[in-house]
Amino acid sequence: MDLPSTTGKRETRRRSGFSDQSAALTALQNFLLAERTGIAVDEALTVADYLREWLLSKQEILKATTYAGYERHVRHDLIPAFGPLPLADLRDRHVTTWSRRQLAAGRGRPTVHRCCSILSSAMNAAVSADLLARNPARNAAMKRPAAPERLCWTPQQASAFLHHNAETYNDVYADIFEVILGTGMRRGEVLGLHWPDIHFQRRVLFVRWTLASVNNARLHLQAPKTRASRNWVSLSPRVTAALRRQAARRRSTHPDQPRLQGMVFTRPDGKPINPERLLHTLRQRSAEIGLPKIGLHDLRHTAATIMISSQVPLAVVSKTLRHSTLATTVNIYGHLLPQAAREAVTALADALDHADLPRKIN
């Protein structure tokens, strides 16, 4: 093969050792494609080999919980489905067919969507590395499933739950629920809270850590969800009282420590509280007084709903929840805004009518 030359001299590329003419022609086509597009096709590179290499590159970038999810789906779903294929031979139809079969077999749509999204992300990286000309999973990936309906309690139900915990148990879990419902913090942020990050006199705390469960087997302390999450949270008198109760418990069990150290909410042996144990406690205690069954993150939704229903400005709610943008708050809680919008335009009309009244009198 003669290649273009900038020197005017003939530049020839030769390859040999092919088993037959068909193999030689295939190699020539791949070589011409690489010269034309910059895409170097490697027939020996399978989807399985590439996905394993891609996973290794993501290990230092992703959070432990996110990486564990990626690895689980790559090992258990993507490699068994597409692994033997050469990377260059993966096509949209392969991904589409696999998705349909998974759904027909009863697999959840969110899970199938997550697998396709991971595959698409990996193929995007292959395109960036000039291993593929296009992403074969981009158009075949499923649309994001609609978010499930958000469940939350009314203010009366939330109050009844906190009262039940305080009167019946008055323990570390009761105060955890008080903090979550009183601040809207995420469960991992509360469980990862450290004493040096609480400032009682200023009535604020700083979110610096979050406790996560990796594959429901290993607890991992990591940075908060987003940069916006790593922020301060104002404390109400109720939440401050809950934190002071926990401080009193810690001092009674560790009288030799002059200053409170370590994590705020722990088991009696000082080890972190597993989020699954906290969820079990929530379900058990709410069932005891006949409350609707909800999850731990729904306590955060309950706090947000109460704030919005109490006519707290949406910008303040967004800041309190530490969302990255106001649009995030609107997207999540937009269903609560029509009544607030009606009240806003009614107030506007009332103000204009009031301003117009003196002119009518004159």
Side-chain angles (χ1 to χ4, degrees):
M1 176 65 194
D2 288 342
L3 302 179
S5 173
T6 59
T7 63
K9 296 181 180 180
R10 183 178 182 183
E11 184 177 345
T12 304
R13 188 67 55 85
R14 294 181 175 86
R15 294 288 185 270
S16 61
F18 300 102
S19 59
D20 53 31
Q21 185 179 21
S22 176
L25 287 173
T26 299
L28 176 61
Q29 291 171 356
N30 290 339
F31 180 81
L32 292 173
L33 177 65
E35 285 296 310
R36 185 173 67 253
T37 66
I39 307 299
V41 177
D42 183 357
E43 292 291 340
L45 180 62
T46 65
V47 173
D49 292 336
Y50 172 74
L51 287 176
R52 292 189 186 100
E53 294 178 6
W54 176 77
L55 263 182
L56 289 176
S57 71
K58 305 296 286 186
Q59 192 166 13
E60 299 299 324
I61 302 173
L62 299 174
K63 292 182 179 179
T65 49
T66 306
Y67 178 79
Y70 274 41
E71 183 181 36
R72 184 171 62 253
H73 288 304
V74 167
R75 305 288 183 191
H76 297 164
D77 295 298
L78 300 181
I79 287 180
F82 312 110
L85 277 173
L87 179 64
D89 291 347
L90 183 63
R91 297 291 183 266
D92 301 41
R93 66 178 183 275
H94 298 138
V95 185
T96 301
T97 301
W98 178 83
S99 300
R100 290 173 178 170
R101 287 176 178 173
Q102 291 292 302
L103 293 174
R107 198 84 182 272
R109 183 172 291 272
T111 302
V112 177
H113 172 265
R114 193 175 304 115
C115 290
C116 292
S117 296
I118 293 172
L119 180 62
S120 182
S121 177
M123 294 304 104
N124 276 336
V127 172
S128 298
D130 290 335
L131 296 175
L132 292 175
R134 58 180 295 276
N135 179 353
R138 182 180 62 185
N139 296 327
M142 297 171 51
K143 292 183 179 180
R144 181 185 295 274
E149 183 180 355
R150 304 187 186 280
L151 303 176
C152 56
W153 288 333
T154 65
Q156 292 75 21
Q157 291 171 328
S159 176
F161 176 72
L162 294 177
H163 181 75
H164 174 65
N165 276 271
E167 291 293 320
T168 307
Y169 297 98
N170 190 27
D171 60 357
V172 60
Y173 292 104
D175 289 331
I176 290 175
F177 296 135
E178 186 76 57
V179 172
I180 295 178
L181 280 169
T183 62
M185 291 173 64
R186 301 175 180 89
R187 68 175 188 184
E189 296 170 344
V190 175
L191 295 180
L193 186 62
H194 284 62
W195 286 115
D197 297 327
I198 299 177
H199 301 267
F200 285 107
Q201 291 185 345
R202 297 167 54 189
R203 283 176 49 181
V204 297
L205 63 79
F206 292 88
V207 177
R208 295 289 180 261
W209 300 98
T210 181
L211 185 71
S213 177
V214 180
N215 289 333
N216 292 328
R218 176 171 58 88
L219 297 181
H220 181 78
L221 200 63
Q222 61 189 22
K225 182 179 180 181
T226 63
R227 182 177 297 180
S229 299
R230 187 182 173 90
N231 213 324
W232 59 270
V233 175
S234 183
L235 304 178
S236 68
R238 290 184 61 135
V239 174
T240 301
L243 293 172
R244 288 192 182 278
R245 285 194 296 269
Q246 181 61 15
R249 293 190 193 98
R250 177 58 62 87
R251 290 191 179 98
S252 66
T253 56
H254 298 80
D256 55 327
Q257 289 185 358
R259 296 182 59 185
L260 292 171
Q261 301 175 3
M263 299 176 68
V264 175
F265 297 109
T266 63
R267 292 163 23 185
D269 59 5
K271 294 182 179 180
I273 294 175
N274 193 305
E276 287 299 315
R277 178 60 185 170
L278 184 62
L279 175 61
H280 174 77
T281 304
L282 168 66
R283 295 276 172 80
Q284 174 189 334
R285 297 185 183 182
S286 59
E288 289 171 355
I289 55 175
L291 291 178
K293 181 180 178 181
I294 66 173
L296 289 169
H297 202 68
D298 296 324
L299 295 179
R300 175 174 166 87
H301 294 316
T302 296
T305 300
I306 293 174
M307 284 188 283
I308 294 175
S309 301
S310 301
Q311 300 183 4
V312 175
L314 195 62
V316 177
V317 175
S318 182
K319 175 63 178 177
T320 303
L321 297 176
R322 289 163 294 112
H323 284 155
S324 299
T325 64
L326 182 61
T328 301
T329 313
V330 174
N331 289 338
I332 297 175
Y333 301 107
H335 63 289
L336 299 174
L337 300 180
Q339 180 59 35
R342 284 191 289 270
E343 293 172 354
V345 295
T346 300
L348 178 60
D350 290 343
L352 292 173
D353 289 343
H354 183 74
D356 195 43
L357 187 59
R359 185 167 53 185
K360 291 181 179 179
I361 295 174
N362 292 335

